[in-house]
Amino acid sequence: MADKSGLVDLTIWQLSTLLRKKEVSSKEVTEAYLERIEAVDPKVKAYITVTADQALRAAEEADKRIASGDHRPLTGVPIGLKDVLCTEGIPTTCASKILEHFVPPYDATVVARLKDEGAVFLGKLNMDEFAMGSSTENSAFFPTRNPWSLDRIPGGSSGGSGAAVAARIACAALGSDTGGSIRQPASHCGVVGMKPTYGRVSRYGLVAFASSLDQIGPMTRDVRDCAILLNSIAGFDPKDSTSYPGEVPDFTSALGKELNGMRIGVPKEYFGHGIEEGVESAIKRAISLLEENGAQIKEVSLPHTEYAVAAYYIIAPAEASSNLMRYDGVKYGLRATGYKNLLDMYKETRSQGFGPEVKRRIMLGTYSLSSGYYDAYYKKASQVRTIIRDDFLKAFSECDCLITPVAPTPPFKIGEKVDDPLQMYLSDIFTIPVNLAGLPGISIPCALTEDGLPVGVQFIAPPFREDTLIHVGSTYEGLRGPVAPWPEL
Amino acid sequence: MKISREEVLHVAELARLKFSNEEIDLFSRQLNDILVYIEKLNELDTEAVPATTHAHELKNRFRDDASSPSLSPEKALENAPEKEGSQFVVPRII
């Protein structure tokens, strides 16, 4: 291929076609990405670790494989991984000082599956420490910048993944989503991001934050890429006891179909107060476009939406406080120096190793699980979780999927909300209920605001109906047309 | 206040965390704000509602008690801050 600079603009499916036809080699593509990372990443700061040597070796392997006639959709395609996914022999930091020098002795199941397809890993992407945050400002190392406006946050916690895809320093990426951590940065970075149904993708090797809510998912340039990447990572895994044993359909077969009377619910509680005008009008335009093209739009109600954030901020920190007790300086990770005895070693290690937001959530979770408070907090929140899930299931008796905003505002300025944790938590109001109910949700670029900032639209489907999201998402994407050229940088 | 300074100190002890005086003050204030917000849940009557601990009704899944490949002791110890032979070394406790 004569002009290598255009390679980084291609989607997975475009690149895959060229690779299969041997019009370009994986080595050429990988080199193009590594060059662009060197040129652009100092501005965006999406990567914690770039694995150039390993990537080039994997690319050569992929080229051999393609030459032998063994080509799969991701063979030779350069992908970035959120630094919460264990990668054998490659540091996995969770953007935390406590895991700064941790090199996992095994691969997460999703990593093993992508390797098996011959994907090329470019490196590990920045995030909020232990995936706790909505802006990537909680990384212990550095904040990532939004490629559309470098003084703004890329969203979080998978901010490095969102920024890398938008900045074209990864063809696609994996993120993880506990309360919106894939969909919100996808919205803020103008890319597609899906949180699959809880159980659809194995969590083995995903560093645990809140085990009943965490889910790994794709972040891509378009919906077709999302379907391709989901095909590769989805499916039963005996190493994850909550993994779903049912069939995995070919998600690409849901692409590009007519809407044909699809019933799309508009939950009235997701509109109105607290949502910025530019966001609301963009979502309303998306709704009209779908209606004009064959969808049946129905107003529905999710009456307990306003309780979701409160329930989440009991459940997620409670699970986190329990999961993070493992960081004690004994088996792996940081061990502080200068301690007096065993108890002091635990305290010094954890106090030096964790950042403020992680400590805040450990404290909140420890408090709500402590003796005498369990019924008032954790049990109460788990009951409210049932009510929120029932709201969704009732809505799905009247419609095939829901359409909502992803975030109430476009990406805000770096530093704007760091001093007010509660305000930061409230920005996840439209994504958190989906995790509590264990549903699949997708964020798709919808518009740019007057200031040129991306706004995403969210579709939510019943459990294990990711195919519905791919169907409505790809059709919407086609009707919408291109939003804007990728940011120059 | 929903949570007193003394309670924050107690929770810090349970969570194996140490804080400076300034941090304790800041955390007391921030945790209090969050707990006040969470009070909202008490508006709902949940007396007869079962708790959801997992989003799907998955049953416990058991496997046969048979050995299968796992990490070797060497690999499992690779990241140990301090080790001796095939063991993790911790400060003396007795």
Side-chain angles (χ1 to χ4, degrees):
Chain A
M1 199 171 199
D3 178 21
K4 282 214 281 182
S5 65
L7 288 174
V8 296
D9 294 335
L10 302 176
T11 60
I12 294 177
W13 56 273
Q14 289 167 334
L15 190 54
S16 192
T17 308
L18 294 181
L19 287 163
R20 182 169 47 80
K21 292 183 178 164
K22 303 189 189 75
E23 288 179 20
V24 65
S25 70
S26 176
K27 189 154 182 259
E28 287 173 297
V29 178
T30 303
E31 280 168 354
Y33 271 105
L34 291 172
E35 274 166 34
R36 186 166 167 86
I37 289 172
E38 212 165 296
V40 168
D41 199 44
K43 286 186 240 175
V44 178
K45 302 188 81 62
Y47 281 93
I48 292 176
T49 308
V50 177
T51 50
D53 295 345
Q54 291 97 325
L56 289 169
R57 275 204 301 277
E60 281 170 19
E61 282 302 311
D63 286 330
K64 278 187 212 158
R65 191 168 160 167
I66 294 166
S68 76
D70 177 15
H71 174 267
R72 290 204 257 163
L74 294 173
T75 311
V77 176
I79 286 174
L81 299 168
K82 185 177 181 180
D83 209 14
V84 71
L85 297 167
C86 285
T87 41
E88 185 175 355
I90 294 164
T92 298
T93 70
C94 265
S96 180
K97 281 190 183 154
I98 215 156
L99 286 177
E100 190 170 1
H101 303 292
F102 174 60
V103 180
Y106 66 96
D107 279 328
T109 294
V110 291
V111 172
R113 286 188 184 201
L114 294 182
K115 262 189 191 172
D116 195 46
E117 276 216 22
V120 171
F121 299 129
L122 294 167
K124 306 296 293 285
L125 295 159
N126 201 17
M127 54 187 278
D128 287 296
E129 184 179 1
F130 282 102
M132 297 176 188
S134 313
S135 68
T136 313
E137 290 165 296
N138 294 336
S139 166
F141 307 128
F142 43 79
T144 294
R145 294 170 177 277
N146 191 312
W148 297 84
S149 172
L150 293 171
D151 60 348
R152 289 177 189 268
I153 57 114
S157 66
S158 311
S161 300
V165 175
R168 288 152 297 135
I169 48 180
C171 185
L174 291 184
S176 67
D177 189 317
T178 305
S181 280
I182 287 175
R183 291 159 289 154
Q184 186 255 22
S187 174
H188 285 347
C189 291
V191 305
V192 173
M194 183 198 275
K195 182 201 95 71
T197 311
Y198 183 79
R200 180 61 99 186
V201 178
S202 167
R203 292 181 295 109
Y204 180 74
L206 166 71
V207 178
F209 161 15
S211 305
S212 81
L213 302 163
D214 298 341
Q215 191 63 194
I216 300 165
M219 300 180 76
T220 56
R221 309 271 175 87
D222 68 6
V223 177
R224 181 177 292 273
D225 278 8
C226 177
I228 293 169
L229 198 45
L230 184 61
N231 271 352
S232 301
I233 61 173
F236 177 70
D237 177 14
K239 289 175 175 163
D240 172 1
S241 64
T242 61
S243 128
Y244 176 64
E247 286 270 305
V248 182
D250 173 4
F251 294 107
T252 60
S253 66
L255 289 162
K257 290 189 189 162
E258 296 287 305
L259 289 171
N260 221 354
M262 181 187 276
R263 299 165 307 162
I264 303 178
V266 181
K268 61 177 186 215
E269 293 80 5
Y270 282 56
F271 294 85
H273 94 131
I275 171 168
E276 213 171 281
E277 160 53 30
V279 174
E280 179 152 345
S281 59
I283 307 301
K284 295 221 158 124
R285 282 201 304 280
I287 295 171
S288 310
L289 188 63
L290 290 160
E291 189 166 30
E292 286 155 21
N293 287 278
Q296 291 180 55
I297 303 294
K298 310 172 83 115
E299 186 181 276
V300 296
S301 177
L302 299 167
H304 301 93
T305 301
E306 62 171 306
Y307 300 100
V309 174
Y312 178 86
Y313 276 96
I314 295 292
I315 294 168
E319 294 185 13
S321 70
S322 170
N323 273 326
L324 271 61
M325 281 312 280
R326 73 189 67 180
Y327 301 101
D328 56 5
V330 174
K331 298 177 293 300
Y332 53 88
L334 179 76
R335 177 183 287 189
T337 50
Y339 49 83
K340 296 194 274 291
N341 51 43
L342 183 70
L343 186 62
D344 199 41
M345 181 189 88
Y346 295 151
K347 287 186 189 170
E348 284 295 337
T349 296
R350 293 165 61 80
S351 300
Q352 292 174 28
F354 292 135
E357 181 60 26
V358 174
K359 287 178 185 165
R360 196 154 33 238
R361 297 205 197 185
I362 290 175
M363 290 289 286
L364 188 56
T366 306
Y367 174 72
S368 68
L369 290 178
S370 65
S371 173
Y373 293 108
Y374 175 83
D375 279 2
Y377 290 109
Y378 192 78
K379 187 174 168 213
K380 181 81 185 180
S382 303
Q383 290 170 315
V384 173
R385 187 173 182 184
T386 306
I387 296 175
I388 288 167
R389 181 169 160 80
D390 288 349
D391 278 357
F392 277 106
L393 297 182
K394 195 159 158 249
F396 288 131
S397 67
E398 300 172 59
C399 60
D400 302 302
C401 66
L402 301 169
I403 184 168
T404 78
V406 181
T409 66
F412 44 88
K413 291 244 168 80
I414 290 176
E416 198 178 312
K417 290 193 189 181
V418 278
D419 294 330
D420 193 344
L422 186 57
Q423 278 313 309
M424 190 80 97
Y425 297 172
L426 290 170
S427 69
D428 294 336
I429 176 71
F430 303 136
T431 48
I432 277 176
V434 178
N435 298 74
L436 289 173
L439 304 171
I442 193 169
S443 172
I444 297 172
C446 170
L448 291 189
T449 63
E450 282 174 12
D451 301 328
L453 302 171
V455 175
V457 57
Q458 175 173 241
F459 295 94
I460 305 165
F464 303 106
R465 295 311 303 268
E466 291 87 356
D467 59 330
T468 303
L469 299 180
I470 298 291
H471 174 183
V472 68
S474 65
T475 306
Y476 167 68
E477 191 179 58
L479 295 168
R480 180 208 66 197
V483 176
W486 292 112
E488 276 300 329
L489 293 161
Chain B
M1 291 290 271
K2 291 289 297 172
I3 184 165
S4 66
R5 204 170 188 282
E6 288 64 42
E7 277 180 297
V8 173
L9 286 167
H10 173 64
V11 173
E13 185 66 28
L14 293 175
R16 303 288 185 252
L17 290 168
K18 264 186 188 174
F19 294 106
S20 67
N21 279 332
E22 295 76 44
E23 284 176 313
I24 290 286
D25 290 339
L26 179 69
F27 268 53
S28 301
R29 205 167 59 240
Q30 289 176 335
L31 290 176
N32 191 64
D33 286 351
I34 296 163
L35 291 169
V36 166
Y37 177 74
I38 283 166
E39 287 269 280
K40 210 177 159 50
L41 295 180
N42 294 328
E43 294 167 14
L44 294 173
D45 178 8
T46 52
E47 195 59 41
V49 181
T52 295
T53 48
H54 258 273
H56 299 297
E57 293 132 29
L58 288 169
K59 296 227 168 66
N60 270 341
R61 211 162 24 229
F62 298 100
R63 61 168 173 77
D64 291 338
D65 186 17
S67 66
S68 59
S70 60
L71 287 182
S72 65
E74 295 74 43
K75 278 215 146 195
L77 283 158
E78 260 173 13
N79 282 281
E82 202 183 337
K83 61 190 161 188
E84 199 179 298
S86 59
Q87 297 173 75
F88 297 103
V89 175
V90 294
R92 194 186 170 97
I93 50 169
I94 42 170

